[in-house]
Amino acid sequence: MSRIFELTVEAPPGDIISYHPMRLADALGIKDVNRLAVETNGTSKALVTIYPDDPLAQVILADPQMLLMDAKGRIYIGRYHNGRPSLLRLYDPKSGSAQRLLLFGTTGAGKSTAGQIILAAMKRSGIAVLYADLKGGQSAPEAFGQKGHGDDGNVAWRVTTQEGTMAQLRTTWLTMMDRQERYSRMGRSKFLKDRPDPLIYQIVDEANRLLEKGAPYRDEATFYIKDIGRTGRSLGIGIGLFAQAGHLEEMGGSDTLRAMLKEGEVVLLRWTSSMMKQLVTDGLLPTGQVLAPIPKYAGEVDLISQFDEDHEDDDLPGTQGTAYNVNGRYPSSKMRFWNIGSDMPTEGLDPEVLELYGPGAPAEIEQDAWDLIGDAYGQRLDGMEAYRAVFPEPEEDEDGEEGGGGGKKKKNGSAGSAGTRAASPVPAAATKPRARTLRDRVQAVLDAHDDPLDALQVLELVNEDGGRTVQLGSVRNTLTTLKK
Ligand SMILES: Nc1ncnc2c1ncn2[C@@H]1O[C@H](COP(=O)(O)OP(=O)(O)O)[C@@H](O)[C@H]1O
Ligand SMILES: [Mg+2]
């Protein structure tokens, strides 16, 4: 018979409960650490649950309708080991504020798939989404954008390039400026969803590629994300970043951005040990809070003798989508996102994922802002074309600032005099992307991986990062220069 055991544990007065998940499992004679769930109240009490099997092996979404945002502005993204719903807040109806979302995790942890659940929930809830996929559109192919006003699409506008992402950020920012002015004229201090404007989200998948050191628009992107994160909240404009970085320094390297990220709705998927250390150092996770690591595979890990001829090398099930919902109700309790999509990869778009979004057109940016935001959005452009459409040429700058200078200078034009077309806070020099050096790219690959990689693996990963294709010899040379 399969039973669930639940133990309540209390530390002696004055002591704080701490535990090591693996040691605890071993002491209890449990081979599969996934069968064990431990929750602490942060001080002296803990609840230990032992399951007959991994309770998160199957997390099935019964009906896509369940993705709809509830009256408290939360969406149902998956569940905890004990069956309780895991909720993510997109909107706070009381204060009228949009949120900042952060999904962190290493490659393959399930960020983009979790992202699709969130994007589908947004479409169903009438939220207008600007989605940038810096993996060239491979992250979430089903999240295709509208081609123009009124068209079918799963997000209002999707871009897949760095330039397109900058155009989106600028568009989101201008929409924000427009709302700021309109709302103040209306004497309104709070955002009210759909009265008359929709809630908007700017989402950037693989945000690390935009914000890491050496990225071509790093400073400019940081400026926009910071400003949208700070000012957008009360104007119904939220922001979401999905990233591999553990190192917040890599994420734009700005104190304000860091502070903003800390206050966001943070979901932590499988990490590497260097990421974890950084997240704690950066203050994203409380020090002393132990989160049991999320192993890559579920199930028992047994030692197999070379003489065991009966042993079958079955693939272990993966743990993709398992995470900690750090700002949710149970921050130290593992949850798992809905298991979505067809079992076997499909040719082209996955019909089961499409089903999550549902048919038809998504919500769009309000018509009031169309004049100000212009063609990049109107024609749903991408690449340099989108970039040129939103960033005026230097000679058109009203204040005649040439740009290209230091970080401080850019902010001058950004306040937007009376909501008219503000001078671009992006320096002219930024229109010519600075190449990332091979050293930057190799370092990024090494930082994202715990396990030792050989030169060939590094080569493969570097060549997947969207940059110029490089040869093995150059990678070898770079690795040599990185060794200390
Ligand atoms: N919630 C999920 N449901 C079903 N499969 C998932 C889920 N999350 C991840 N996967 C599987 O893991 C793979 C990698 O996930 P992905 O979201 O692309 O990771 P990341 O964006 O973190 O690199 C997906 O292609 C899919 O097969
Ligand atoms: Mg991804």
Side-chain angles (χ1 to χ4, degrees):
M1 206 178 105
S2 49
R3 288 175 202 233
I4 298 173
F5 294 92
E6 196 177 88
L7 316 172
T8 318
V9 189
E10 198 159 343
D15 265 7
I16 286 184
I17 286 208
S18 67
Y19 68 99
H20 189 290
M22 295 306 229
R23 283 196 196 146
L24 183 60
D26 199 42
L28 291 167
I30 294 171
K31 284 193 190 160
D32 177 5
V33 72
N34 296 300
R35 287 177 48 210
L36 190 65
V38 183
E39 274 168 47
T40 70
N41 66 350
T43 55
S44 61
K45 286 195 187 128
L47 190 65
V48 179
T49 320
I50 302 163
Y51 291 93
D53 308 289
D54 179 358
L56 292 176
Q58 297 280 331
V59 179
I60 308 295
L61 175 65
D63 179 354
Q65 203 52 30
M66 286 161 62
L67 292 174
L68 203 69
M69 187 160 83
D70 70 11
K72 291 182 175 162
R74 302 170 308 185
I75 56 169
Y76 191 179
I77 54 173
R79 64 167 173 79
Y80 292 100
H81 63 92
N82 53 17
R84 297 211 174 100
S86 186
L87 305 171
L88 189 72
R89 187 179 297 285
L90 298 182
Y91 177 58
D92 181 356
K94 273 198 200 136
S95 60
S97 50
Q99 309 292 304
R100 303 149 185 156
L101 313 177
L102 287 167
L103 294 187
F104 280 125
T106 188
T107 320
K111 296 178 297 294
S112 299
T113 313
Q116 295 241 56
I117 295 172
I118 297 170
L119 293 177
M122 288 177 168
K123 181 180 177 190
R124 286 183 178 266
S125 309
I127 297 171
V129 178
L130 278 65
Y131 172 64
D133 173 11
L134 286 162
K135 213 166 159 184
Q138 286 171 16
S139 295
E142 290 80 10
F144 65 90
Q146 285 186 298
K147 295 253 181 298
H149 170 53
D151 288 352
D152 281 359
N154 285 335
V155 295
W157 181 18
R158 177 177 72 167
V159 296
T160 61
T161 62
Q162 299 258 352
E163 287 73 23
T165 308
M166 289 310 296
Q168 275 198 349
L169 286 170
R170 171 91 176 157
T171 300
T172 305
W173 186 81
L174 287 171
T175 307
M176 187 174 92
M177 290 296 138
D178 182 64
R179 284 190 180 185
Q180 198 164 40
E181 198 199 79
R182 237 170 348 109
Y183 293 177
S184 82
R185 258 190 280 131
M186 290 158 79
R188 189 190 266 195
S189 64
K190 255 196 211 175
F191 170 77
L192 298 169
K193 185 178 178 292
D194 301 324
R195 288 187 278 159
D197 303 328
L199 186 57
I200 295 179
Y201 266 89
Q202 167 74 61
I203 307 279
V204 185
D205 196 347
E206 294 282 332
N208 42 290
R209 291 191 184 179
L210 185 69
L211 297 171
E212 66 202 356
K213 280 184 198 145
Y217 305 107
R218 183 178 200 238
D219 294 347
E220 299 75 21
T222 303
F223 165 82
Y224 283 111
I225 290 173
K226 220 162 64 177
D227 218 39
I228 295 165
R230 203 163 37 193
T231 318
R233 267 171 74 83
S234 57
L235 297 165
I237 301 183
I239 191 148
L241 306 178
F242 310 159
Q244 286 185 35
H247 215 301
L248 287 189
E249 179 57 33
E250 284 287 297
M251 299 284 288
S254 129
D255 288 342
T256 332
L257 183 61
R258 223 176 317 220
M260 184 191 109
L261 298 180
K262 274 188 226 167
E263 287 168 23
E265 297 281 308
V266 180
V267 177
L268 189 56
L269 290 117
R270 186 166 59 83
W271 57 79
T272 62
S273 64
S274 61
M275 274 178 65
M276 191 61 182
K277 240 180 281 160
Q278 278 305 328
L279 290 172
V280 175
T281 319
D282 287 331
L284 253 174
L285 292 176
T287 24
Q289 180 170 324
V290 209
L291 294 180
I294 298 168
K296 190 164 184 187
Y297 299 103
E300 293 176 20
V301 181
D302 256 338
L303 299 174
I304 310 295
S305 155
Q306 58 175 319
F307 305 111
D308 179 355
E309 286 176 2
D310 295 336
H311 173 72
E312 282 181 47
D313 230 352
D314 269 348
D315 283 346
L316 287 169
T319 59
Q320 305 96 323
T322 307
Y324 290 94
N325 185 349
V326 179
N327 295 58
R329 182 78 182 75
Y330 311 100
S332 64
S333 188
K334 255 185 227 173
M335 56 79 56
R336 195 165 187 185
F337 280 89
W338 302 119
N339 200 231
I340 62 162
S342 306
D343 287 340
M344 282 298 165
T346 51
E347 271 177 56
L349 304 182
D350 185 332
E352 292 199 18
V353 177
L354 289 174
E355 172 86 23
L356 291 181
Y357 289 90
E364 296 179 35
I365 299 181
E366 65 271 16
Q367 212 151 351
D368 276 313
W370 289 3
D371 271 353
L372 182 65
I373 63 184
D375 279 351
Y377 177 72
Q379 298 179 32
R380 308 300 198 268
L381 303 174
D382 196 354
M384 222 31 178
E385 215 186 346
Y387 190 94
R388 294 251 181 264
V390 291
F391 292 106
E393 294 294 324
E395 53 271 22
E396 285 169 18
D397 275 10
E398 274 166 40
D399 56 4
E401 227 180 59
E402 280 288 2
K408 284 269 152 37
K409 208 166 142 197
K410 286 173 244 166
K411 291 181 190 152
N412 293 346
S414 69
S417 42
T420 54
R421 210 171 271 265
S424 165
V426 175
T431 52
K432 294 181 213 83
R434 229 177 8 250
R436 289 175 70 198
T437 66
L438 183 54
R439 203 185 148 99
D440 292 334
R441 296 169 64 194
V442 169
Q443 189 64 55
V445 164
L446 295 177
D447 287 346
H449 290 267
D450 248 358
D451 319 325
L453 297 173
D454 61 35
L456 266 176
Q457 288 167 313
V458 174
L459 174 72
E460 209 176 289
L461 291 161
V462 165
N463 280 335
E464 277 172 11
D465 76 357
R468 186 173 57 86
T469 306
V470 293
Q471 303 298 319
L472 183 60
S474 329
V475 167
R476 281 228 170 88
N477 289 341
T478 313
L479 285 169
T480 320
T481 67
L482 285 170
K483 275 192 199 130
K484 278 166 221 144

